[in-house]
Amino acid sequence: MTRVAVVTIAHGRHEHLAAQHRSLARGAMRPDTYLAVAMDDPDIVAEEVDGLARDVVAVGRGPRGGLPLAAARNLGVETALDTGADVVVLLDVDCLAGAGLVASYANVVTTRPHRIWSGPVTYLPPRPPDGYPADPAALAGWDDPHPARPAPAPGELLQSDNPDLFWSLSFAVGPRTWDRLGGFCEDYVGYGGEDTDLGRTAIARGIGLGWVGGARAYHQHHPVSSPPVEHLDDILRNGRLFHERWGEWPMTGWLEEFERRGLVRREDGHWIRETPSISVKETTP
């Protein structure tokens, strides 16, 4: 019997985490393991909702005080694999699981284990006064997948070898493929770059990417800044690392917007900060 683990990483976002927990507990197939990796957040604790237990492992901040998103995901996957998981789903803390998400990922990773599989994600509007639907099946009425990513219909699969289409909001992988992949590069700390890097690493190591229409997720609304000025230092630092590893800069749309605002400049193929460091309170992206 296939054992499925769902892993999420979190710092803050406690209400979003609780809503995700409920969506997984009420889905068509429950995960055998549900694990939260708490990043510098002692208020995230183990608990049970509707018969589904959530376990917690903790990790501190990374170098320079940033949130260790890459290292936290790796810890979560390795912890899940240690429980005997045959399929590990990584789901962003802001995402509610559609009714068929766990079952769809379990099926596709089991039958086609040599790829990393992602599902379509809908960005939900602000929470209505009576909240988002409590029944995961009812979330289908809100379905409107992000236009920048493939969105096969339920029951359909798409294969892709475009690493820039990979994102870490929702994806699933089997243990052998994860071992070949080697996980996220933990040199990335803070916002940005680590998921784009993982897509490049996958293709470089002969691991294909795919999209499974039945594994739909729904991203709960929260305020964001555009461009994410509070993450400027992280974007520059992680962008330089990505450039060293792959010969080009990621997140160029954000960088060009920062340039228009006079926050950065281009110099000899690199992006350089023009303003003093910004200190802000962090939350999980």
Side-chain angles (χ1 to χ4, degrees):
M1 183 176 178
T2 301
R3 291 186 56 83
V4 182
V6 174
V7 173
T8 193
I9 65 173
H11 173 86
R13 298 276 209 274
H14 298 159
E15 291 184 2
H16 285 195
L17 177 63
Q20 180 186 96
H21 194 162
R22 290 191 296 271
S23 72
L24 289 165
R26 298 169 186 176
M29 175 181 175
R30 290 184 176 185
D32 299 280
T33 300
Y34 178 40
L35 177 68
V37 183
M39 299 179 293
D40 189 33
D41 190 341
D43 293 328
I44 296 175
V45 296
E47 60 180 277
E48 184 175 307
V49 172
D50 292 344
L52 176 64
R54 183 181 71 222
D55 300 321
V56 176
V57 292
V59 63
R61 286 184 176 266
R64 297 173 296 275
L67 292 176
L69 309 182
R73 292 192 182 102
N74 288 345
L75 174 62
V77 174
E78 295 300 331
T79 303
L81 292 176
D82 286 345
T83 71
D86 304 296
V87 176
V88 180
V89 178
L90 286 97
L91 193 62
D92 187 274
V93 68
D94 293 324
C95 285
L96 301 173
L101 180 141
V102 173
S104 294
Y105 275 140
N107 179 65
V108 75
V109 172
T110 301
T111 58
R112 296 172 175 82
H114 304 301
R115 289 180 177 268
I116 301 172
W117 292 96
S118 299
V121 178
T122 291
Y123 276 77
L124 295 171
R127 185 187 304 271
D130 55 350
Y132 299 123
D135 179 1
L139 289 168
W142 297 71
D143 198 65
D144 185 19
H146 195 286
R149 295 294 190 277
E156 292 183 347
L157 300 177
L158 292 175
Q159 296 182 358
S160 169
D161 289 326
N162 182 351
D164 294 332
L165 292 178
F166 175 78
W167 58 1
S168 55
L169 284 179
S170 175
F171 71 97
V173 66
R176 289 186 179 179
T177 298
W178 181 260
D179 185 61
R180 284 179 59 199
L181 182 64
F184 289 87
C185 174
E186 297 186 7
D187 293 335
Y188 292 93
V189 176
Y191 179 92
E194 83 287 347
D195 47 0
T196 307
D197 184 283
L198 189 81
R200 296 294 177 93
T201 300
I203 299 304
R205 297 185 180 180
I207 301 169
L209 305 175
W211 293 79
V212 51
R216 302 179 102 78
Y218 300 86
H219 188 283
Q220 302 170 81
H221 184 269
H222 62 79
V224 296
S225 54
S226 181
V229 176
E230 68 273 24
H231 298 300
L232 174 56
D233 288 327
D234 287 350
I235 289 171
L236 287 173
R237 182 180 63 250
N238 289 338
R240 282 191 292 271
L241 173 60
F242 188 94
H243 183 270
E244 291 170 4
R245 287 169 59 83
W246 302 106
E248 60 184 285
W249 281 77
M251 302 176 282
T252 53
W254 291 138
L255 290 166
E256 288 168 357
E257 182 59 32
F258 292 147
E259 183 182 39
R260 281 191 286 271
R261 297 186 179 207
L263 300 176
V264 301
R265 70 179 188 277
R266 279 180 266 199
E267 185 176 297
D268 297 328
H270 292 272
W271 295 85
I272 309 296
R273 176 183 253 291
E274 289 278 26
T275 60
S277 295
I278 299 171
S279 177
V280 296
K281 182 179 179 181
E282 285 186 274
T283 59
T284 302

